Amino acid sequence: MTTAAARRWLMCRPTYFAVTYRINPWMDPTAPYDNGLAVAQWETLRQTFLGLGHTVELIEPVPGLPDMVFAANGATVVDGKVLGVQFRDAERADEAPAYKAWFERAGFDVTDPKHTNEGEGDILLAGDVLLAGTGFRTSHAAHAQTQEVFGRPVITLQLVDPAYYHLDTALCVLDEKNIAYLPSAFSPGSQAVLRRMFPDAVIATAADAAVLGLNAVSDGRTVVLPAQATDLAAALRAAGYETIGIDLSELRKAGGGPKCCTLEVRA
Ligand code: ARG
């Protein structure tokens, strides 16, 4: 465990949140959802981040883009460099220029992606290196571009379970040195890589992952995770972290949790 530094996070209010299409197994367009409750749950997450002393910036939501609340998919930002995104699914394609414009207005140069790349959903900074998922969304070719853009080693991890379609649904970076993850979401070779790199990792149970418990946001000291992931919260506390549980049950109907709603801006 390391000390918490103040973070700068970008979020998008779920004003137009809805479940109207199905691009991952969590989404059921025939099931009811409550937009007002989604906004209220998201607001609790934002207030929690502010209460921890972090900076939260907001991007204006765009009508007709119900998944835009999942800001993690808007870019990858490391060392002040921004790599833009290219979504696999047409339903989310128009989010890419919206996020790009936000970063340009904020004074960043944005490198355009050459391949399918869903940002921090699949590309996570862990200490000095980037962990990159592939198998469902972000293409393997995007990992090579990511390494070129950031000049940091990129470790490719193969995702194998459709329920854990983005890396950030199966793995959480806790601090510079450690992670939590669900081994069965990864291929045997990728599990071996994770064991080698993170021998002291917190191992999540299937039940923790099934409530998107690993879709958590850590500032190095406090881990903000779905309230329903009670075993994972206990394991994190045993490992020395503080935990705050947040109920994001409405956003889970789209396959997202706290981390999906949060994009780190590393200037
Ligand atoms: N409905 C969205 C999708 O399937 C959820 C995205 C969740 N974001 C994430 N970073 N895992 O694309």
Side-chain angles (χ1 to χ4, degrees):
M1 199 182 78
T2 53
T3 42
R7 307 293 177 117
R8 181 179 177 194
W9 283 320
L10 177 62
M11 299 180 74
C12 180
R13 191 178 300 278
T15 310
Y16 307 107
F17 174 75
V19 183
T20 52
Y21 50 79
R22 179 181 171 92
I23 57 173
N24 71 54
W26 303 80
M27 303 176 86
D28 178 359
T30 66
Y33 61 87
D34 181 339
N35 176 275
L37 182 56
V39 172
Q41 291 177 337
W42 175 92
E43 184 59 29
T44 300
L45 179 66
R46 188 176 80 94
Q47 291 298 335
T48 300
F49 290 160
L50 293 173
L52 288 168
H54 302 300
T55 299
V56 176
E57 298 194 57
L58 296 175
I59 180 172
E60 197 59 37
V62 175
L65 296 177
D67 274 336
M68 193 173 166
V69 57
F70 301 119
N73 300 125
T76 306
V77 192
V78 184
D79 304 323
K81 296 175 208 158
V82 181
L83 177 58
V85 298
Q86 182 177 307
F87 287 90
R88 181 194 68 178
D89 298 291
E91 291 89 339
R92 298 196 67 186
D94 289 345
E95 295 178 40
Y99 278 95
K100 180 181 178 181
W102 187 91
F103 278 99
E104 287 179 341
R105 274 199 302 276
F108 293 87
D109 284 330
V110 180
T111 301
D112 286 322
K114 294 192 223 154
H115 311 277
T116 301
N117 178 329
E118 298 199 357
E120 248 190 0
D122 276 321
I123 302 167
L124 296 171
L125 183 68
D128 288 333
V129 308
L130 290 158
L131 304 177
T134 190
F136 298 101
R137 302 291 183 89
T138 298
S139 72
H140 190 204
H143 296 183
Q145 186 187 16
T146 301
Q147 178 161 289
E148 285 305 312
V149 168
F150 297 113
R152 288 173 180 259
V154 171
I155 308 292
T156 290
L157 299 168
Q158 296 285 342
L159 295 166
V160 298
D161 182 339
Y164 305 111
Y165 56 94
H166 274 143
L167 182 63
D168 71 358
T169 63
L171 184 151
C172 171
V173 175
L174 299 172
D175 58 31
E176 301 262 297
K177 296 202 172 64
N178 210 7
I179 64 169
Y181 69 105
L182 177 72
S184 65
F186 298 90
S187 68
S190 295
Q191 290 183 34
V193 168
L194 290 170
R195 279 197 302 273
R196 183 179 290 267
M197 290 182 73
F198 304 102
D200 301 321
V202 174
I203 302 299
T205 65
D208 292 324
V211 289
L212 285 178
L214 287 162
N215 197 252
V217 178
S218 176
D219 65 12
R221 182 175 62 197
T222 303
V223 184
V224 177
L225 78 171
Q228 294 81 1
T230 50
D231 289 344
L232 181 59
L236 291 168
R237 286 193 297 271
Y241 300 92
E242 291 171 20
T243 62
I244 299 178
I246 304 282
D247 185 9
L248 284 185
S249 56
E250 285 307 303
L251 295 173
R252 194 163 69 230
K253 294 175 180 174
K259 176 67 195 91
C260 298
C261 295
T262 312
L263 175 60
E264 185 151 357
V265 181
R266 301 179 183 87

